[in-house]
Amino acid sequence: MSLFKKLLGRKPKSLLSVVVDGKDVLSIDERELPIEARLAFPVTASSEIEFVEESGRTHTHALLGEAGFFHLSLRVYPNFAVQADGLLSASKNLPENALEKGEARGLRFQPFFIQKKGQKPPDLRGKGLFARGLHYNGIVTPSKIVLSAICDECEKAFQFTSFHSGFSDVAYFYSSSGKHTLAVSLQEPGAPSALAKPDDEALQLLERKLPSAPDASKYSYLNPFRCPHCRAAYIDFETYPEMRASEYYANVHIGQRLQQF
Ligand SMILES: [Zn+2]
């Protein structure tokens, strides 16, 4: 083939490509924005999905560790924000209300902004799940959905589930290792309710009474939720204590059990 033909035949880089186990499953061009794309593809227990930006920057996530069909929904907005989630089911055709009926499992990927010249995306390092777009204000996220975050530090993905502490009548505490989550009944004196500013003195008394985590680290109200790979603070309440009260979803790492007090 002549060089001329080669150049003609070269595909321009897409704004965003979705790659599953090394194969392109979807490409999106800037002209198509805003777009909502839906597609289903077979996956194995060890499948990985990559969101590849035109610059080459890649966001890699594991799926749900089970074989089946992944039904992906992807939105790209004119400001280059990308939101993606999906359902894993046994069949290629997704039954209606599959998640509610327990016939599918849900996975939501951490949204991101495609890097573009002249665009300055917000700095979300250490911020909470609302700021990062993993939860939406006013919409109760079903606890059946697994959230897949990307660590700000090591850039590896990790998964966790969330529950609404206010609706569960509990306060929650992370261990200093960032690995374990403790739910404390609101009946306990000093346990701060969701959205309420804690009574500092009562909270300190309560923290002294709390048991140690399974890894012997201590629970405290301002401990960050941490990346399980490198232990960097993901939701950094030590740096941003002001966001603690409004961060009413409690998170539990996949593979860990919620501790109760
Ligand atoms: Zn990390």
Side-chain angles (χ1 to χ4, degrees), residues 57-80:
R57 187 166 81 128
T58 302
H59 311 254
T60 306
H61 296 262
L63 295 177
L64 288 164
E66 243 179 85
F69 285 87
F70 196 76
H71 305 262
L72 176 73
S73 159
L74 178 93
R75 277 95 49 209
V76 188
Y77 298 96
N79 66 349
F80 304 106

Side-chain angles (χ1 to χ4, degrees), residues 87 95-104 142 144:
L87 294 172
E96 221 172 290
N97 302 322
L99 186 67
E100 291 74 13
K101 286 194 272 183
E103 290 172 24
K144 283 175 185 166

Side-chain angles (χ1 to χ4, degrees), residues 237-258:
F237 296 130
E238 276 170 349
T239 308
Y240 305 109
E242 67 282 4
M243 68 185 188
R244 180 60 171 84
S246 54
E247 202 67 24
Y248 46 79
Y249 278 97
N251 306 311
V252 181
H253 283 294
I254 292 293
Q256 301 295 346
R257 189 181 298 172
L258 177 66

Side-chain angles (χ1 to χ4, degrees), residues 25 38-43 67-73 86-96 98 103-104:
V25 296
R38 285 169 185 259
L39 73 160
F41 43 83
V43 295
F69 285 87
F70 196 76
H71 305 262
L72 176 73
S73 159
L87 294 172
L88 179 77
S89 76
S91 66
K92 191 164 185 191
N93 298 314
L94 195 63
E96 221 172 290
E103 290 172 24

Side-chain angles (χ1 to χ4, degrees), residues 36-58:
E36 169 159 22
R38 285 169 185 259
L39 73 160
F41 43 83
V43 295
T44 66
S46 58
S47 281
E48 276 189 345
I49 190 166
E50 295 169 282
F51 300 97
V52 186
E53 301 180 22
E54 59 185 357
S55 65
R57 187 166 81 128
T58 302

